[in-house]
Amino acid sequence: MQKLRRTLYRIIFGTDTPAGRGFDVVLLWAILLSVLTVVLESVKSFRAAYPGTFQFLEWFFTILFTVEYVLRILTHPRRWKYVTSFFGIIDLMSVLPTYIGLFFLRSHFLLTVRAFRLLRIFRILKLGRYMHESQVLISALKKSMYKIVVFFGVVLTLVLFLGTLMYLVEGERNGFTSIPQSIYWAIVTITTVGYGDIAPVTVLGKFISSVSMLIGYSIIAVPTGIISVEINDAVKSSRQEKQLVCPSCSYREPDSEARFCKKCGNKLE
């Protein structure tokens, strides 16, 4: 029994065997087809032409992924670690909507969350080396979080002020029926989206609207600049961490794959 469990674990979680790679490739195709099924089911003409086909496919893929999820739990040596991991939660969420759909209509369309399972392609195709670059990006976003929050607070205060001002200037007769409605207009205007469902009529209102749009163009690049600086710092820090130091002459070797020091020729460890 233990031998069977270890074999299944190696096939389901590993990619170092032909069976393991084959399992993951079949799984990826099943995920793609199941997501495609959910997307096509939302099209009324397809749903009318094939009334029972989509329901059958939905339950087929759900049962398939349920069996797979149970096998992952049973074969994993540390079950709770898998259940609470990122992929463990995604695997569970990929089957729950169908069962919830027995009680709540249309919830099965949430099955598109299965697309997140395609992230396993990084492990299958040995693309783990790219995960380091994603860590650099995540690190930069974390470091810029406080600056972004401050920037968001300034923008929030600005749209509150502009919305209130436009409510006083234009009033209900021109479509600015309340301060929240005017704040909505301010957000749409300052982000340069401009739906046009609400527009100022008075000269003063148009002037304020023009200033708001100019402010929007002025500040739209601020968060990009903040994140860019942090990404640059994170990349520099990452390169410094990768540098090898020669134990003989203390020369910092920028090439992380170098085996010998370019300065003294000593072997790098």
Side-chain angles (χ1 to χ4, degrees):
M1 189 67 180
Q2 289 295 328
K3 185 178 180 180
L4 176 62
R5 182 179 172 183
R6 285 195 297 268
T7 303
L8 289 174
Y9 173 79
R10 193 172 181 182
I11 293 173
I12 295 174
F13 288 93
T15 58
D16 56 341
T17 63
R21 289 183 64 85
F23 175 84
D24 285 331
V25 170
V26 171
L27 178 63
L28 287 179
W29 275 108
I31 294 168
L32 283 170
L33 291 173
S34 66
V35 173
L36 181 63
T37 299
V38 176
V39 172
L40 292 178
E41 187 184 0
S42 65
V43 181
K44 188 176 181 180
S45 57
F46 285 120
R47 196 166 57 246
Y50 310 98
T53 304
F54 288 109
Q55 189 174 10
F56 168 78
L57 289 174
E58 178 189 331
W59 277 106
F60 171 77
F61 286 119
T62 298
I63 293 172
L64 178 67
F65 292 139
T66 302
V67 172
E68 180 225 347
Y69 178 68
V70 172
L71 285 175
R72 286 183 182 274
I73 295 176
L74 294 177
T75 58
H76 201 283
R78 300 174 64 181
R79 297 175 183 177
W80 185 246
K81 182 180 179 181
Y82 162 71
V83 171
T84 56
S85 66
F86 172 77
F87 281 117
I89 295 171
I90 292 296
D91 291 345
L92 177 62
M93 290 176 62
S94 68
V95 297
L96 279 181
T98 302
Y99 298 115
I100 295 175
L102 295 173
F103 307 98
F104 301 98
L105 294 177
R106 300 175 68 84
S107 64
H108 64 283
F109 288 115
L110 295 173
L111 287 171
T112 50
V113 74
R114 287 173 181 167
F116 283 103
R117 304 189 71 196
L118 294 174
L119 292 174
R120 281 195 170 91
I121 196 171
F122 282 91
R123 178 172 61 87
I124 296 168
L125 300 181
K126 306 296 184 183
L127 299 177
R129 56 185 177 274
Y130 293 106
M131 295 304 291
H132 174 73
E133 305 304 324
S134 67
Q135 291 298 323
V136 172
L137 179 60
I138 292 172
S139 175
L141 291 174
K142 286 181 179 178
K143 289 181 179 179
S144 61
M145 187 62 65
Y146 293 110
K147 296 176 184 177
I148 296 296
V149 169
V150 172
F151 171 76
F152 180 76
V154 172
V155 174
L156 190 63
T157 305
L158 185 60
V159 296
L160 178 62
F161 170 75
L162 289 173
T164 304
L165 186 61
M166 286 298 288
Y167 173 70
L168 296 175
V169 172
E170 293 292 329
E172 297 184 7
R173 64 185 180 280
N174 294 327
F176 293 80
T177 55
S178 64
I179 291 180
Q181 181 80 344
S182 302
I183 290 174
Y184 157 77
W185 168 87
I187 293 172
V188 170
T189 303
I190 207 169
T191 54
T192 69
V193 175
Y195 289 128
D197 52 344
I198 307 173
V201 177
T202 65
V203 175
L204 181 58
K206 291 179 179 179
F207 174 76
I208 296 172
S209 179
S210 301
V211 172
S212 301
M213 285 184 276
L214 291 174
I215 291 174
Y217 278 113
S218 301
I219 67 175
I220 200 167
V222 173
T224 305
I226 292 173
I227 296 174
S228 297
V229 170
E230 294 296 343
I231 289 176
N232 187 44
D233 291 343
V235 170
K236 287 182 179 179
S237 177
S238 175
R239 287 176 180 173
Q240 290 176 356
E241 289 177 0
K242 284 184 175 181
Q243 284 183 349
L244 300 173
V245 180
C246 177
S248 178
C249 65
S250 300
Y251 172 73
R252 286 186 171 272
E253 173 57 58
D255 185 1
S256 60
E257 296 182 357
R259 295 184 179 181
F260 297 93
C261 178
K262 291 179 182 179
K263 189 174 182 181
C264 67
N266 188 56
K267 187 174 181 180
L268 299 174
E269 296 180 358

